[in-house]
Amino acid sequence: MRPNGVRERNRAGEPAIVGWVSFDSLFAAELIGHAGFDAVIVDLQHGPFHLDTAIGMMQALSSTPATPMARCPALDFGTINKLLDGGAWGIVCPMIDTPEQAREFVSACRYPPAGTRSFGPARGLLYGGPDYFDRANETIETWAMIETAEGLRNLEAICAVDGLDGVFVGPGDLSLALGLPPTPRWREGPLADALDRILQGAKAAGRRAGIFCTTKEMAADMRRAGFDFIVPGFDALHLTAAAREWVAAAREG
Ligand code: 3PY
Ligand code: MG
């Protein structure tokens, strides 16, 4: 089975740098897949597209060096199974509040006896190879998002769930849960305390920690803090930032 770029990078003791695609474009996914990321997440929660497009985007990513992963729209067995069958080498699941939900999430991603995933790995065998079934449980990554007040309260119990690979911070929703505006103020106050708690809690439980970053500075800070899985912005942000720079350069020139 093809290796998982996130897992390989983390095993080498380095943070994985992960892309994030929200355009309903196969070509955009392919472009981002060639940008140097270890993996790329197709965002089916907030990306304005549905499952068929998400699977096409993972097919496009399969032609690049980046490992295809997906964020499911919610904790839903059917959608998670379809994304895995469509070639996701990892799932990020939003809004995990309780250890029971984390257990249900991990179970949906693992073939029996470890879990309850149904067999029918459509693209898995094509992209992964004939040993897909033997290696899927140990290769596919499960990342539970901590981004609600309840999830934060239950952090230790969520981290203790067997088979969970890591916890992934959604700093926008987590800020809202803390009574802050959604643009993350990660350097001070309640969000900084929460990020520290999540990182320490994950490490104490032997889990990895990931985070979505809204600026380059935040990504650099999170890398220095010790996060294992860093998403430095996403396609729409990268495109508008680059376009603004080009416009400014042309106006100044
Ligand atoms: C958040 O910041 O809440 C996220 O889910 C990142 O996309
Ligand atoms: Mg969120």
Side-chain angles (χ1 to χ4, degrees), residues 8 35 47 52 58 71 74 77 83 108 112 122-123 125 127 131 167 181 185 199 233 247:
E8 297 233 304
D52 299 19
M58 289 194 293
R71 173 161 75 168
F77 181 86
L83 285 168
R123 289 196 60 250
L125 291 168
Y127 177 63
D131 61 344
V167 286
R185 296 184 195 142
L199 187 59
V247 170

Side-chain angles (χ1 to χ4, degrees), residues 20 45-46 71 94-95 145-148 168-174 176 212:
W20 190 281
Q45 184 191 19
H46 290 298
R71 173 161 75 168
M95 303 267 172
M145 287 193 75
I146 302 293
E147 52 180 354
T148 63
F168 183 83
V169 181
D173 281 311
L174 187 58
L176 292 179
F212 182 92

